[in-house]
Amino acid sequence: MTPMSRRVDDRTFPVLFPTGRGYSGTDTKRITINKVLSNDILVQQNQYVQRCIDWNRDILKKELELTEEDIIDLPALFKLDKQGKAVPYFPNMVTMMVLAKDLGVPKPFGPVTGGECCLERRARSLLEPLGLRCCFLEDVSSYHGSLGEVRCGTSVQRRPFTFQWWRMMP
């Protein structure tokens, strides 16, 4: 919850909740940032999810010989479903499609400050200095409502690299 915890005020923003099949993409609720941050259950769930992410991150760092600098943290917020599975609170930017230097990123619909979604602004500030172009795609009505994202609607075929791609410098 990093981007929102930095800006605790009483601004409202639309939050899109996945509701399963038949989701129309028009179901939105208005909720304040303070309300999200004061939701103890949501905070506890995200602390749990963060521990899971950290555990996986440690494995990736060890197995792929990555350093902390090799990893880019994108803002995300989750809630746990009835089975205890983490589902994104808003479209998850991490599930973007990478097409060379162009990124098809799920539009997160986060808090708008200064006329721009603060989550999009943060993603751009992290990715564009690397020479990447962010194109935010509205995928709520087509995929997010069914717990999918942009990558679910693509048919990209790839060949494995013959080198350690994570060591490549732009």
Side-chain angles (χ1 to χ4, degrees), residues 11-145:
R11 296 182 187 197
T12 61
F13 62 97
V15 177
L16 305 170
F17 290 92
T19 57
R21 294 191 170 193
Y23 182 74
S24 67
T26 59
D27 301 1
T28 61
K29 294 182 180 182
R30 303 232 17 116
I31 187 170
T32 65
I33 294 171
N34 278 342
K35 190 165 186 176
V36 170
L37 294 174
S38 66
N39 182 330
D40 291 336
I41 294 171
L42 188 63
V43 169
Q44 289 171 3
Q45 289 177 351
N46 276 273
Q47 289 169 343
Y48 167 75
V49 171
Q50 187 62 53
R51 286 192 301 274
C52 295
I53 290 170
D54 291 343
W55 180 74
N56 282 287
R57 177 190 207 117
D58 289 343
I59 292 170
L60 289 170
K61 284 170 37 181
K62 180 182 176 198
E63 296 298 323
L64 299 176
E65 299 176 5
L66 298 173
T67 65
E68 204 56 40
E69 293 75 33
D70 295 321
I71 299 169
I72 299 170
D73 290 312
L74 292 176
L77 184 64
F78 298 93
K79 61 182 181 172
L80 299 182
D81 66 11
K82 291 178 183 172
Q83 290 77 37
K85 178 182 173 186
V87 294
Y89 196 74
F90 48 76
N92 191 354
M93 294 185 291
V94 172
T95 63
M96 71 183 78
M97 282 301 306
V98 178
L99 303 167
K101 293 194 177 279
D102 294 306
L103 307 175
V105 186
K107 187 170 184 60
F109 295 98
V112 175
T113 58
E116 182 182 19
C117 170
C118 69
L119 303 175
E120 289 181 29
R121 183 173 37 247
R122 179 67 177 150
R124 279 193 175 99
S125 74
L126 293 167
L127 300 170
E128 289 179 352
L130 301 173
L132 302 169
R133 286 183 297 260
C134 297
C135 179
F136 291 92
L137 308 170
E138 191 282 302
D139 72 340
V140 172
S141 57
S142 52
Y143 297 105
H144 183 72

